[in-house]
Every structure is written in structure tokens, then in C-alpha cells.
Amino acid sequence: MIDEKRALQLARDAFQGSTTYFNANIRPQLERDIRQFQSRHAPDSKYMSDAYKARARFYRPKTRAMVRGNEATAAEAFFSTSDVVSITPQRETDDMQQVSAEIMQGLLQYRLTKTIPWFEICIGAYQDAQVQGIVISHQEWEFDPVRRIDQPKVTLLPMENLRFDPASDWTDPVGTSPYLIWLIPMYVKDVKARMASGKWITLSDSQLKSSAKQYDSTRLLREDNRSSSTDTITAINDFTIVWVHMNIMADDETGSDTMYYTLGEQFLLSKPEPLVTQYAHGERPFTIGKCVIETHKLWGAGPVRLARDTAAEINEIANQRIDNVKFAMNKRY
């Protein structure tokens, strides 16, 4: 089992190494894709320069229309019938398998229509795959006796909030990466509640404040705000957002995965323990998918990136036409 001192060092090394690679190679492309989906010119576009301040700088929303059209096709494919899923036995003649399939069909039908916002999750995942290139989700069973919650939960993660090793196998990055780090924004009141219950190690307010701000240009761009929704602008209080890292590390000594939480990369929040103690199935609770297969690449290109040059040419022709019409109709005497 990984000891506490080594666990914090492993988490720090893994986060810093993966973040350096992500910032240098993945983030610039990701932000260009998000801007294109939002019908905004790239930061290095000529239309963002002062020379084009008085020229036509429209962005025709063809990329967004393409994504919306694909989403409509996906919605028709997934939700054309009242049954969200269709489960059949492998052997139709086996009565036991037939009954088991009917029970599983009923359970999933109930969960995907009553407790899980399946339409938003499904179409949102497809949108992420088209814009980001990959889609990331986290699966867990949410249990809270105080709020009377006892149900499965699926969470879509922004691509910049999950770190994994760049040298992982492109067909299974979750299973082959030696580490997974999930960056979780949490309220201070929730962190303190876990500390008070004994689940997490108690830290001071000054230590909590050290991870209260985490500037992320991609998050600002995605939210289209001047300031991030997770940045704190006041003193530390119950509703301040701090960043907690859930670390899953491959333990070569035991042959299984070890899981623990850290406050950013500075402080240990929980003692390392086998992953199976938190997730009974013992599997890493993340899934990474894509809608365009691109071999030997972890972060493949989605339809938005593939249509980038075409969109740029459409905007160029449209803006030139508008400028020429204005120059011809408003001549100087």
C-alpha cells in the first residue's frame, strides 16, 4: 500500500507532468474548438486585429448548425421509441435469462427516465465528443441518508478536469494510465462536513484558502464570462469553492488501484486506501469515448476541428462580399 508521504508526492508529480503536457499540446486546440462552436473567431485570426476593427467580422454559425443537426439525428436514434434501452437474453430459449433480461430492462428504464437525466446526459455527451474530440463521464452510486438520496449518478466532465497519462493506450486510456486525477470544485461546507465526520483529514481555513482559486482559461472560455464561476472573490466561507483532487494510482506492490483525495496538490485530505473500498466493483469509475475514431491518438479531432478550415473559408468569403458591397454602395466623393 502507498504510504501517505509518497502518496502526496505521486499526486503532485502526476498532476504537474500531465498539466504541463495538456497546457502545451491540448489546451490551445481545445480552446480553438470551443470558440468555433461558440461562433467566435480564433484568437490569432486577422479579424481580431486592429486592422480589421472597422471591417466586416461576422462569423456564420455553420459549425453550430452542423453540431445541432448531428444532435437531432442522435436524439432521433436514441429516443425514437418509449423504451430508452432494449435488453434481450443471449439465449432466447433460456427462461432464466429471459426473466433476467426483463427485470434489467425494467430497472434501467426506470433509472434512465426517473433518476438520471438521460436525455441531457446522452445529447450532452455527443456534443462534447463533437466539440472536444472526446467525452468523459464519471459513474457512481450516490447515497445520502440525510437528503434521502439512493440512486445511480452519471456526471459529464469537462476535458480539462481529468488528467491521465499521455502515453496511455489510445483504445483504453482509463484502464492503461498509471494514474487518474479528477479535479473537483467543492464548497467549503461540504469539505468541512467530511472533515467533521472523520472521512477526511482536518485542515485549517488558511490551508483551504490556498486552493480556493484555480485560474483556467478553458473554463472561462466555455462559460463565456469575464470571471470563472468557481473563483472566490470574498474571504473563506461555507460557499467558497475549493479544488479537491481525487487521485487513483496504480499500485504495483498490490496489483490493484489505490485511491485518495488531496486539496489541490498541496495537502492530503484522505489516507490512501484500495479503490474497491469506495467502488465495490473495483473498476475505475470513468469512461472516455469519441465519435470520430482516430488511431493512435488519445485526444483525437472531432467534427468541429475537422471542419475548421471550411468554416474559416466560408467566413472569409462572406465577410469579403459584405465589405465589397459596402465599398461599392458607399463610395467616397
Side-chain angles (χ1 to χ4, degrees), residues 126-175:
Y126 190 46
Q127 183 182 111
D128 272 357
Q130 293 184 90
V131 178
Q132 300 179 159
I134 65 173
V135 54
I136 305 171
S137 67
H138 173 256
Q139 294 71 232
E140 64 178 336
W141 191 276
E142 187 179 15
F143 178 70
D144 190 339
V146 177
R147 295 187 294 167
R148 298 181 180 180
I149 298 176
D150 187 11
Q151 63 190 29
K153 181 180 180 181
V154 179
T155 305
L156 293 180
L157 308 184
M159 197 166 76
E160 68 272 12
N161 281 6
L162 184 71
R163 298 285 191 271
F164 52 90
D165 189 68
S168 305
D169 183 8
W170 69 276
T171 61
D172 183 21
V174 172

Side-chain angles (χ1 to χ4, degrees), residues 188 192 195 201-210 236 263 267:
V188 167
K192 287 185 175 181
M195 291 178 181
I201 300 170
T202 302
L203 299 176
S204 64
D205 284 353
S206 61
Q207 291 173 323
L208 290 174
K209 191 175 181 179
S210 66
I236 202 82
L263 185 67
F267 305 101

Side-chain angles (χ1 to χ4, degrees), residues 29 118 260 303:
Q29 294 285 351
W118 185 236
Y260 54 94

Side-chain angles (χ1 to χ4, degrees), residues 22-208:
F22 185 84
N23 290 341
N25 301 280
I26 309 303
R27 193 183 296 277
Q29 294 285 351
L30 174 60
E31 292 183 355
R32 288 177 66 95
D33 295 339
I34 294 175
R35 291 182 69 94
Q36 184 177 338
F37 176 67
Q38 294 175 343
S39 299
R40 300 165 64 184
H41 293 288
D44 57 351
S45 172
K46 66 180 181 181
Y47 294 109
M48 305 300 291
S49 64
D50 292 337
Y52 279 77
K53 184 178 295 185
R55 301 282 293 273
R57 299 188 296 176
F58 297 106
Y59 195 107
R60 303 188 70 183
K62 295 295 185 180
T63 301
R64 188 128 191 170
M66 174 192 69
V67 173
R68 291 285 291 168
N70 293 341
E71 289 175 7
T73 303
E76 183 179 3
F78 281 100
F79 303 96
S80 58
T81 64
S82 58
D83 291 333
V84 181
V85 293
S86 178
I87 299 178
T88 57
Q90 289 184 346
R91 289 181 293 180
E92 297 286 348
T93 57
D94 192 328
D95 294 337
M96 185 68 71
Q97 288 192 12
Q98 184 71 34
V99 173
S100 177
E102 292 176 0
I103 294 175
M104 189 61 67
Q105 169 88 20
L107 289 174
L108 285 177
Q109 183 72 20
Y110 174 80
R111 290 300 184 186
L112 296 178
T113 55
K114 300 296 183 181
T115 61
I116 297 177
W118 185 236
F119 181 83
E120 290 82 356
I121 293 294
C122 183
I123 302 303
Y126 190 46
Q127 183 182 111
D128 272 357
Q130 293 184 90
V131 178
Q132 300 179 159
I134 65 173
V135 54
I136 305 171
S137 67
H138 173 256
Q139 294 71 232
E140 64 178 336
W141 191 276
E142 187 179 15
F143 178 70
D144 190 339
V146 177
R147 295 187 294 167
R148 298 181 180 180
I149 298 176
D150 187 11
Q151 63 190 29
K153 181 180 180 181
V154 179
T155 305
L156 293 180
L157 308 184
M159 197 166 76
E160 68 272 12
N161 281 6
L162 184 71
R163 298 285 191 271
F164 52 90
D165 189 68
S168 305
D169 183 8
W170 69 276
T171 61
D172 183 21
V174 172
T176 58
S177 177
Y179 60 84
L180 293 173
I181 304 175
W182 179 17
L183 282 63
I184 311 172
M186 293 184 65
Y187 290 112
V188 167
K189 68 181 184 64
D190 296 331
V191 175
K192 287 185 175 181
R194 295 196 181 189
M195 291 178 181
S197 65
K199 294 181 180 179
W200 285 359
I201 300 170
T202 302
L203 299 176
S204 64
D205 284 353
S206 61
Q207 291 173 323
L208 290 174

Side-chain angles (χ1 to χ4, degrees), residues 294-315:
E294 194 168 356
T295 57
H296 314 299
K297 289 185 69 175
L298 289 176
W299 293 274
V304 169
R305 189 178 307 172
L306 295 176
R308 178 182 297 169
D309 292 339
T310 302
E313 190 66 21
I314 290 173
N315 293 322

